[in-house]
Amino acid sequence: MTKNKLARFAEMKTFPNVIEPEFQEVFDRDYRLKGRWHEAVFENDHPIVLELGCGKGEYTVNLARRYPDHNFIGIDIKGARMWRGAKTALEENIPNAIFLRTRIDFITSFFGKEEVKAIWVTFPDPQPKKARKRLISTKFLTYYQQFIQNNAAIHLKTDNPNIYRYMLAIIRENKINLLHAENDVHGSDNNQLNDIRKIQTFYEKQFLEDQKKIKYVAFTLDKHQKLKEPPDD
Ligand SMILES: C[S@@+](CC[C@H](N)C(=O)[O-])C[C@H]1O[C@@H](n2cnc3c(N)ncnc32)[C@H](O)[C@@H]1O
């Protein structure tokens, strides 16, 4: 590990807006904050929005700036990336952006029934051979159903045509209520410049430099629906 990374990890331990649970605190058990984020962390009853695979947390920080009446939690396992978002939130005094360092595989240990209002998944790893590991697979959506408010909005941004197709296949297979699907967010000038879809993440900037088209999908998820995985294409 580089010196810089070590310094960031050490500094992050002192950040009041970063939560880094130990494995044994979440594996096969509920974390102490489950069902208590409003009272124990945010000290308000504003709706909670997650950014999954947040990396440096551009959505968490930008949305928190724009929507002070909502609470945002960026979640990722990579601490060195998360340091950036957490540091910015601290420097700018953004109280409604929090970071949680954990594997998203344990996410049901963290949130209680109806605790989350919406989810952003920003540039998930494509996992070409293991659909079930994708953060938008039916396996993960079934996890999210356990703690979202009914018909919560789920937002996906990706550069990856396979992930885009796969997301739309899940939506079709399960007759899910599609809100929006767009193949080239930055290419169309229908959108207003300040549209939240135009926020750019670290990976997104690199994909744009490589001339990739950024795709966006939004849908509402019925928390009671039993989801079927689409057939492989
Ligand atoms: C391609 S990067 C995108 C990062 C950021 N959203 C961006 O757009 O710049 C994918 C991120 O998802 C995180 N990730 C993937 N699977 C994860 C999992 N199961 N649990 C926690 N983090 C995960 C990785 O650590 C990585 O930071």
Side-chain angles (χ1 to χ4, degrees):
M1 202 179 295
T2 63
K3 241 168 127 185
N4 196 18
K5 240 185 187 176
L6 285 172
R8 285 183 175 188
F9 280 132
E11 191 184 7
M12 218 163 65
K13 296 262 178 243
T14 69
F15 286 176
N17 60 351
V18 175
I19 296 163
E20 294 186 85
E22 298 292 336
F23 176 78
Q24 60 273 20
E25 291 180 282
V26 301
F27 182 67
D28 263 355
R29 68 183 54 187
D30 289 346
Y31 186 56
R32 61 181 172 82
L33 292 174
K34 182 170 180 170
R36 301 185 57 240
W37 288 87
H38 283 117
E39 54 171 283
V41 177
F42 295 108
E43 298 176 354
N44 62 44
D45 59 359
H46 299 165
I48 293 176
V49 178
L50 308 182
E51 182 189 7
L52 302 182
C54 68
K56 299 187 180 196
E58 286 84 358
Y59 264 83
T60 301
V61 170
N62 276 287
L63 291 174
R65 277 193 199 113
R66 284 177 205 212
Y67 300 101
D69 56 350
H70 282 61
N71 300 315
F72 296 89
I73 307 177
I75 309 180
D76 205 296
I77 190 63
K78 296 263 168 77
R81 292 181 184 165
M82 176 173 287
W83 173 90
R84 181 60 275 166
K87 180 100 177 157
T88 303
L90 282 180
E91 284 170 351
E92 291 186 24
N93 239 323
I94 303 173
N96 56 330
I98 294 282
F99 289 87
L100 171 61
R101 182 164 176 231
T102 188
R103 291 200 61 77
I104 292 158
D105 310 62
F106 302 141
I107 197 153
T108 56
S109 302
F110 287 96
F111 299 100
K113 237 174 154 210
E114 312 234 329
E115 202 167 16
V116 170
K117 178 166 180 232
I119 298 177
W120 281 80
V121 187
T122 51
F123 300 89
D125 293 327
Q127 304 286 1
K129 295 206 180 107
K130 297 181 196 144
R132 280 172 66 77
K133 287 193 143 195
R134 297 174 188 154
L135 295 180
I136 45 124
S137 67
T138 53
K139 177 181 148 188
F140 276 90
L141 292 177
T142 304
Y143 291 163
Y144 310 154
Q145 283 175 312
Q146 294 180 40
F147 56 75
I148 53 167
Q149 292 168 14
N150 200 23
N151 297 320
I154 316 289
H155 305 261
L156 164 72
K157 273 180 106 178
T158 182
D159 65 301
N160 187 291
N162 292 334
I163 289 288
Y164 184 62
R165 229 181 357 253
Y166 174 66
M167 185 80 266
L168 293 177
I170 290 178
I171 288 169
R172 211 168 30 243
E173 180 74 23
N174 292 284
K175 301 187 173 54
I176 286 173
N177 177 37
L178 179 68
L179 297 173
H180 194 94
E182 190 171 353
N183 188 37
D184 184 7
V185 169
H186 301 287
S188 70
D189 33 75
N190 301 341
N191 305 319
Q192 292 170 355
L193 269 181
N194 67 355
D195 187 321
I196 53 175
R197 275 169 284 170
K198 298 273 186 187
I199 293 170
Q200 289 182 15
T201 73
F202 178 73
Y203 272 77
E204 184 168 1
K205 290 193 174 103
Q206 294 182 347
F207 295 139
L208 284 168
E209 275 175 23
D210 294 341
Q211 312 295 324
K212 293 197 174 154
K213 290 189 175 148
I214 305 303
K215 298 133 193 5
Y216 168 74
V217 182
F219 58 96
T220 57
L221 187 57
D222 174 347
K223 69 178 190 151
H224 303 293
Q225 185 178 358
K226 185 155 178 27
L227 299 172
K228 280 185 288 183
E229 189 69 12
D232 292 340
D233 63 1

